[in-house]
């Protein structure tokens, strides 16, 4: 082969590579339009897809100052298309996008057509596909605040990606338990929701395990008012008729109660499916707090957990007889924390609460034992509880990188398929830990050190090293004494002197405000 032939072959190869890409940005100008395809969706789903499209356009504008058109109509222009998979079955089939996992998505590039598809099994998963692209392009949402969002500077951008992605865990929730209700706090909640979506955390998940007895009573008030035997018998022989439905327990052995619960949960599941056709689970978890039924029939059922699980089993069997997809969910919590001695139906899902443990077992031992009883378990986590930790350094487990590094992979190997974690709206001590947790919840095998490194390097630049020292001191949960608090202030001052970047200094100012909160709490 002579020299000129070699040159021709190399140029042909380079041309083929270039043609395998679909340009997104060219010299700072949009090279595509963003198409939000609303076929096969519901009104709620349409809102999610529209949000994905506008979010992508806003992010690209932030990075390039380019104005991208967002439309619902597809034409012959080069397009990035966001849609449900079932709106583009042929494209999905050609890409071997076969999984039916709710959170699965595919990115498919068609260079010859000038199209990039982001297809999801659900609207939420299609939006996760957009989050994935933005992450690959260098965008980061480290905390729910624009000051803690990092965007690249982009002039030219092209896509040649073809992949299918899904998480190991079907539920990955981190949510605020206290202090975020009210119209005046709506902007903060919107910031949190964007952070959660950007890090592919569950916003509209399918598992349902919350306390349900109060809801069941409220939906069947007349039946419970006229039939006290549906409610638990107390030790003194009277029936539980507390005026607070959310605290009442049931008579688990009562056949009428079982039929009522099964009928009510079937109706609820049908209602949920009208809003989200993928819904498959309803909760049968007891009301909050301890207690059980002491009638002779219930005592014959076995332990307190056995009694709770008897109702769950009977409900699960009745739902499954009519719908093979139906599941019931509940916590392992309070009086029903210990695993049952009876068998559990295959369509019963349990989230083990990692708080309020008064058993003889450690939490890992409890999870291990429950994993041997049920086909899948989740964790009802407590990353932060205001009344327990007050948002102080190192007190909330959600802020501890080493906690997540150890336990998320540990539990993921033991039938774990979901984490449902409450926390505080306090990010001073939690930003690093919760960012790491969000990535491990998607992929429990993710390497932690690169995540930690990008947190410090991208957020603090030249001041990364003193900020590493700052967060290490916080993770150690220092006592609230001048000898341990003053070094935290000194780390921030060192970081301030090492950077002139206004974005970095804005973050340091927020951390100074957090330290001011700690000193005031100490005085209080």
């Amino acid at each position: 082969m002579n020299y000129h032939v070699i040159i021709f072959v190399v140029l042909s190869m380079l041309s083929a590579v270039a043609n395998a890409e679909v340009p997104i940005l060219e010299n700072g100008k949009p090279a595509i339009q963003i198409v939000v395809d609303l076929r096969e969706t519901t009104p709620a789903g349409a809102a999610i897809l529209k949000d994905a499209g506008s979010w992508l356009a806003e992010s690209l504008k932030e990075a390039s100052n380019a104005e991208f058109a967002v439309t619902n109509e597809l034409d012959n222009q080069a397009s990035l298309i966001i849609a449900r998979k079932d709106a583009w079955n042929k494209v999905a089939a050609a890409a071997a996008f076969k999984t039916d996992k709710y959170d699965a998505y595919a990115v498919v590039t068609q260079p010859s057509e000038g199209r990039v598809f982001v297809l999801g099994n659900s609207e939420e998963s299609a939006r996760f596909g957009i989050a994935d692209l933005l992450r690959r392009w260098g965008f980061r949402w480290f905390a729910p605040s624009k000051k803690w969002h990092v965007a690249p500077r982009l002039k030219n951008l092209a896509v040649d990606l073809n992949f299918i992605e899904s998480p190991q865990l079907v539920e990955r929730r981190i949510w605020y338990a206290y202090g975020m209700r009210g119209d005046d706090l709506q902007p903060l909640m919107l910031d949190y929701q964007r952070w959660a979506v950007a890090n592919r955390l569950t916003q509209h998940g399918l598992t349902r395990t919350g306390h349900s007895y109060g809801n069941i009573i409220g939906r069947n008030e007349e039946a419970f008012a006229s039939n006290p035997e549906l409610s638990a018998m107390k030790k003194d022989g009277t029936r539980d008729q507390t005026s607070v439905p959310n605290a009442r327990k049931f008579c688990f052995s009562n056949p009428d109660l079982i039929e009522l619960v099964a009928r009510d949960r079937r109706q609820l599941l049908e209602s949920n499916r009208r809003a989200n056709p993928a819904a498959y689970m309803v909760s049968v978890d007891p009301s909050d707090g301890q207690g059980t039924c002491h009638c002779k029939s219930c005592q014959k059922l076995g332990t307190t957990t056995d009694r709770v699980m008897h109702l769950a089993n009977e409900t699960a069997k009745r739902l499954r007889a009519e719908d093979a997809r139906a599941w019931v969910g509940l916590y392992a919590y309070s009086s029903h924390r210990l695993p049952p001695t009876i068998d559990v139906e295959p369509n019963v899902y349990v989230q083990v609460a990692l708080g309020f443990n008064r058993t003889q077992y450690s939490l890992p031992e409890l999870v291990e034992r429950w994993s041997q009883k049920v086909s899948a378990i989740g964790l009802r986590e407590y990353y932060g509880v205001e009344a327990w930790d007050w948002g102080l350094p190192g007190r909330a487990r959600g802020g501890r990188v080493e906690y997540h590094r150890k336990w998320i992979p540990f539990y993921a190997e033991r039938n774990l398929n979901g984490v449902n974690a409450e926390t505080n709206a306090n990010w001073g001590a939690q930003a690093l830990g919760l960012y790491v947790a969000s990535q491990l919840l998607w992929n429990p095998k993710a390497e932690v050190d690169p995540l930690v490194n990008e947190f410090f390097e991208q957020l603090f630049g030249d001041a990364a090293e003193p900020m590493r020292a700052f967060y290490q001191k916080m993770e150690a949960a220092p006592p609230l004494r001048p000898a341990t608090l003053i070094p935290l202030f000194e780390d921030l001052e060192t970081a301030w002197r090492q950077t002139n970047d206004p974005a970095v200094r804005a973050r340091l100012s927020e951390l100074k405000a957090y330290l001011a909160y700690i000193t005031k709490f100490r005085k209080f």
Side-chain angles (χ1 to χ4, degrees):
M1 184 179 290
N2 64 35
Y3 177 78
H4 295 290
V5 173
I6 292 174
I7 292 292
F8 175 77
V9 170
V10 169
L11 290 175
S12 297
M13 292 173 64
L14 290 174
S15 176
V17 170
N19 290 337
E21 296 181 332
V22 173
I24 306 297
L25 272 167
E26 291 182 325
N27 295 318
K29 303 295 183 182
I32 59 157
Q33 64 179 349
I34 298 170
V35 177
V36 179
D37 187 345
L38 301 180
R39 291 178 298 157
E40 306 298 331
T41 190
T42 64
I48 294 172
L49 291 179
K50 289 177 181 178
D51 175 70
S54 60
W55 177 36
L56 175 60
E58 291 163 4
S59 298
L60 290 172
K61 180 179 180 180
E62 181 181 9
S64 66
N65 207 35
E67 295 275 0
F68 281 78
V70 181
T71 179
N72 302 132
E73 301 296 330
L74 183 64
D75 54 27
N76 293 326
Q77 295 185 54
S79 301
L80 188 151
I81 301 162
I82 308 168
R84 286 181 58 97
K85 178 177 73 174
D86 44 12
W88 292 90
N89 285 322
K90 290 183 179 179
V91 173
F97 185 11
K98 299 176 181 178
T99 177
D100 60 357
K101 291 183 178 179
Y102 181 75
D103 282 341
Y105 56 85
V107 173
V108 182
T109 303
Q110 292 184 340
S112 61
E113 303 293 331
R115 290 179 175 179
V116 178
F117 289 90
V118 181
L119 306 178
N121 275 337
S122 63
E123 294 85 358
E124 188 170 20
S125 61
R127 188 166 59 179
F128 288 153
I130 296 300
D132 192 329
L133 284 180
L134 290 171
R135 183 173 181 83
R136 290 168 187 256
W137 294 339
F139 294 85
R140 292 293 184 275
W141 281 262
F142 289 109
S145 163
K146 292 181 180 179
K147 294 179 183 178
W148 293 71
H149 163 218
V150 174
R153 299 306 305 161
L154 299 174
K155 186 175 182 180
N156 293 288
L157 180 66
V159 171
D160 61 354
L161 298 169
N162 290 278
F163 65 89
I164 300 163
E165 179 78 7
S166 64
Q168 179 174 337
L169 306 185
V170 300
E171 181 172 40
R172 307 163 309 284
R173 292 189 66 209
I174 300 175
W175 50 278
Y176 295 148
Y178 297 103
M180 294 301 289
R181 290 184 174 88
D183 293 341
D184 56 329
L185 296 174
Q186 188 65 18
L188 298 180
M189 282 302 298
L190 292 175
D191 284 344
Y192 153 75
Q193 289 164 2
R194 179 60 70 225
W195 172 83
V197 168
N199 292 293
R200 295 179 293 181
L201 294 173
T202 303
Q203 288 285 284
H204 304 279
L206 301 179
T207 62
R208 296 290 182 270
T209 53
H211 306 310
S212 71
Y213 289 6
N215 176 262
I216 294 170
I217 293 171
R219 290 162 55 92
N220 301 273
E221 290 182 354
E222 184 177 340
F224 279 92
S226 57
N227 298 280
E229 66 276 7
L230 298 177
S231 300
M233 178 180 286
K234 296 187 289 187
K235 288 183 178 180
D236 62 6
T238 62
R239 292 287 174 173
D240 184 358
Q241 291 289 284
T242 174
S243 60
V244 183
N246 289 336
R248 197 182 305 178
K249 298 295 188 286
F250 290 163
C251 181
F252 306 102
S253 61
N254 188 319
D256 292 335
L257 182 281
I258 293 170
E259 292 299 331
L260 182 150
V261 170
R263 181 176 62 254
D264 179 85
R265 299 294 88 177
R266 186 182 305 112
Q267 292 170 351
L268 179 61
L269 182 58
E270 292 171 354
S271 173
N272 291 344
R273 281 207 178 127
R274 285 192 288 273
N276 182 356
Y280 67 91
M281 184 182 295
V282 286
S283 176
V284 290
D285 187 64
S287 52
D288 201 359
Q290 296 189 330
T292 189
C293 181
H294 296 278
C295 78
K296 291 182 179 179
S297 295
C298 283
Q299 291 182 46
K300 290 179 182 178
L301 295 175
T303 67
T304 299
T305 305
D306 291 343
R307 300 171 205 180
V308 170
M309 196 57 68
H310 174 74
L311 176 59
N313 277 341
E314 292 299 317
T315 305
K317 285 191 290 188
R318 285 161 172 77
L319 293 184
R320 189 174 72 243
E322 295 188 11
D323 184 348
R325 299 174 298 165
W327 282 63
V328 299
L330 68 161
Y331 292 146
Y333 173 84
S334 192
S335 299
H336 58 290
R337 170 175 286 282
L338 286 169
T341 65
I342 61 175
D343 291 338
V344 178
E345 289 295 313
N347 58 323
V348 172
Y349 173 69
V350 172
Q351 286 188 347
V352 182
L354 297 191
F356 308 101
N357 183 21
R358 302 180 183 91
T359 73
Q360 68 270 40
Y361 302 117
S362 68
L363 291 172
E365 288 172 336
L366 271 177
V367 174
E368 191 84 58
R369 281 164 168 76
W370 272 103
S371 70
Q372 297 167 9
K373 298 294 296 188
V374 296
S375 56
I377 61 168
L379 301 182
R380 171 60 168 87
E381 261 281 21
Y382 298 87
Y383 282 169
V385 179
E386 198 72 21
W388 297 354
D389 55 65
W390 298 106
L392 299 174
R395 274 64 164 186
R397 65 173 63 148
R400 301 177 201 154
V401 171
E402 294 310 310
Y403 177 82
H404 303 305
R405 186 199 301 264
K406 178 178 181 179
W407 292 113
I408 292 177
F410 175 88
Y411 289 125
E413 295 174 357
R414 287 159 176 78
N415 286 347
L416 177 70
N417 77 345
V419 172
N420 174 21
E422 73 171 77
T423 195
N424 311 327
N426 184 328
W427 287 78
Q430 290 193 108
L432 173 58
L434 291 183
Y435 174 68
V436 169
S438 71
Q439 303 310 304
L440 288 174
L441 290 177
W442 184 271
N443 176 15
K445 295 180 180 179
E447 293 291 330
V448 171
D449 287 344
L451 296 172
V452 173
N453 289 339
E454 72 174 12
F455 180 90
F456 289 115
E457 292 165 7
Q458 294 196 33
L459 285 175
F460 301 110
D462 294 337
E465 291 313 307
M467 293 311 298
R468 286 181 192 272
F470 175 82
Y471 277 92
Q472 287 171 357
K473 290 182 179 71
M474 289 212 295
E475 185 150 338
L480 303 186
R481 297 198 297 263
T484 56
L485 295 181
I486 289 174
L488 292 172
F489 282 96
E490 291 173 343
D491 286 337
L492 293 186
E493 284 303 308
T494 300
W496 187 277
R497 290 194 299 270
Q498 290 185 196
T499 182
N500 291 316
D501 188 328
V504 173
R505 285 189 164 183
R507 296 169 195 133
L508 296 176
S509 293
E510 291 199 337
L511 289 171
K512 288 181 180 182
Y514 170 66
L515 292 186
Y517 157 73
I518 294 172
T519 60
K520 290 181 180 296
F521 183 90
R522 176 178 177 270
K523 291 179 180 179
F524 171 76

